[in-house]
Amino acid sequence: MKLIESVKEFGGYLNRYTHYSVACQSEMTFSMYLPPQAAHSNVPALYWLSGLTCTDDNFRVKAGAQRYAAEHGIALIIPDTSPRGDSVPDAPEHYDLGQGAGFYVNAVQPPWDKHFRMYDYVVEELPHLVEMHLPLIPGVKSISGHSMGGHGALIAALKNPGAYRSVSAFAPICHPLNAAWGKGCFTAYLGENAALWQAYDATCLVQAGAHLPEILIDQGTADEFLVDGQLQPEAFQAACLQAEQPLSLRMQDGYDHSYHFIATFIGEHIAWHAKALR
C-alpha cells in the first residue's frame, strides 16, 4: 500500500492509497476515512461501493459521509468501481461496460476475465489488506452502495451471510438479470450461463434461500432509472416478502438518482450501520 493523499477532516483523516491487486492483476486505488477514534483504538468499517462511471472520488467528495463517520467512530472504505490502466480492457463507447463498470462480479469471459474480478477484490482482497495494515477491528464491517454499487453491496452480503454486520443500499440495481444494464454486462463478463447470472442477482439470491437479519434500501420516486426499469426494487421486495426476508424499502418522494439524494440520507444509513457495528 502506498499513501498518495491525506487530508484532515472532522478530526480524522481522509486518505487515498494505491496498491497492486492480485485479484484484478492491476494497480488499484481506494480511499479511506479514518475517524478521530482510530488514533486511539481499532474501529469498525463501512465499505461503500459506488455506481457506474464513478471512481473512489465521487462518494468521498459529494456524499458528506465523513461527518457522520467521525460522529460514530466508523472507518469508511471506498474502492474504485473497476480496474483501470492502459493494459486493462475497456469499451469507451459504452459507459456501462469496461472501466468504471466492473459490476462487482468475477468475469469469466475474455478479454475481461484477467482483470475484472471485482467481487473477489471487494469481498476478500481489500478487507484483508486494510485490516492487516490499518487500525480496524478484524471482521467487524458493514457494506453499502449506490446503483451498481448497491447491487454489489446486496450480493456481497447475501452471498456471505455473517461476513457483514449490516447491509444497505441507495437505488440499487435489484434484478440485473432482467434489466438492460445487467443483461449487457452479464453477457460480456459472464457469458450465456444463466446460473452464473443468478449468482450475482440479489433478487435471485433471495429466491434461492439467501437470508440476512435485515436490509435497508432507500429509493427516490423521481429516479429516472426507476421509471425505465433498470432498478426494479419491486421485484426484490416481492422476493423478500415471499422468503420472509426482513426488508425496509423506503420510497423517498421526489428524490432522483444523484448524490443530492445520497447526501440527504447518508447520515441515517451510517447511524443504522453503527448500531449493528457496536
Side-chain angles (χ1 to χ4, degrees), residues 46-49 59 141-158 164-174 212 214-219 236 246-250 262 265-274 276:
L46 173 62
Y47 287 74
W48 173 269
L49 307 185
F59 179 74
K141 60 187 186 291
S142 294
I143 193 164
S144 186
H146 171 232
S147 194
M148 178 185 72
H151 143 78
L154 291 175
I155 63 168
L158 287 166
Y164 301 93
R165 296 289 181 91
S166 52
V167 59
S168 74
F170 290 80
I173 304 172
C174 292
L212 296 170
E214 188 176 3
I215 298 169
L216 170 63
I217 293 176
D218 272 328
Q219 172 64 62
F236 187 66
L247 169 67
S248 177
L249 173 60
R250 308 192 307 184
I262 296 169
F265 298 103
I266 191 65
E268 295 180 21
H269 279 241
I270 290 177
W272 186 77
H273 287 294

Side-chain angles (χ1 to χ4, degrees), residues 64-78:
Q66 291 91 304
R67 177 189 298 272
Y68 304 105
E71 177 185 340
H72 293 283
I74 295 172
L76 302 175
I77 301 170
I78 313 158

Side-chain angles (χ1 to χ4, degrees), residues 8 21 32 40 43 49 68 75 86 98 105 111 121 135 157 172 183 186-187 207 209 216 221-222 230 240 249 272 277:
K8 191 168 186 178
S21 166
M32 180 175 187
H40 310 290
V43 296
L49 307 185
Y68 304 105
D86 294 340
V105 304
Y121 177 71
K183 289 177 181 178
F186 281 12
T187 300
Q207 291 171 338
L216 170 63
T221 62
Q230 296 280 25
C240 288
L249 173 60
W272 186 77
L277 290 167

Side-chain angles (χ1 to χ4, degrees), residues 7-22:
V7 180
K8 191 168 186 178
E9 289 186 340
F10 305 106
Y13 286 89
L14 179 62
N15 297 336
R16 183 178 254 172
Y17 301 89
T18 61
H19 72 103
Y20 183 80
S21 166
V22 175

